[in-house]
Amino acid sequence: MASFPTVAPFLILASLLVSFSEAREFLVGGSAESWKIPSTSQVPLNQWAQRQRFMINDTLISKYDGNSETVLQVDEEDYKSCSLSDPMQEYGGGDTKVVLDHSGPFYFISGIEGHCQMGLKLVVVVLSNSHRGKRHSYTLPPAQVPFALPSAPSAPSSLGGGFVGLVMGMGVLLAMV
Ligand SMILES: *[C@@H]1O[C@H](CO)[C@@H](O)[C@H](O)[C@H]1NC(C)=O
């Protein structure tokens, strides 16, 4: 029978694999009814999005008043210019689910004239697969090496000292002769 310490690493590995392949659901803005013209008291949607780690196949859920709001998925240019004329996808009904099926940015704006200009827009960046399971790692700067005194100059000076001593010693010997 396999002892627990033997199987433990495999159990941990298996649970990690399960958790990494699990797609998650994100409620836009972190709460219901967040897809609306932003008020000053609200955390901006893009600020909320920047704090999340979106992975491929996660689902983005927008809850809103389906009678007065819509969601358009657009390209970067239309996102910047708030252009409603050429959306990639159009969503309505108050409960929109978008599967984030590839890595990179997804751009959303309100489909109601003027609302995007008033700030109802969102960009969500999906991390590539290579980021799966990785944690933020910080590389510490190399340890400061204490300044090492060069040893070379000490050799000639001691040699010089020895030479001076030798000359002086010989001088004494000569004087004694
Ligand atoms: C995302 O889902 C599709 C369809 O279910 C699947 O084929 C694909 O492998 C999934 N991708 C990832 C990265 O999980």
Side-chain angles (χ1 to χ4, degrees), residues 56-57 129 132:
I56 295 172
N57 284 353
N129 260 349
R132 251 168 212 270

Side-chain angles (χ1 to χ4, degrees), residues 166-177:
L166 185 66
V167 170
M168 282 172 73
M170 278 174 78
V172 171
L173 277 172
L174 287 170
M176 284 167 75
V177 170

Side-chain angles (χ1 to χ4, degrees), residues 20-23 55-58 99-101 129 132:
F20 289 152
S21 58
E22 205 175 293
M55 301 288 194
I56 295 172
N57 284 353
D58 284 348
V99 176
L100 305 169
D101 59 0
N129 260 349
R132 251 168 212 270

Side-chain angles (χ1 to χ4, degrees), residues 34 36-45 47 118-120:
S34 287
K36 60 181 183 217
I37 296 166
S39 62
T40 49
S41 61
Q42 198 188 342
V43 174
L45 291 178
Q47 202 170 306
M118 286 188 267
L120 187 45

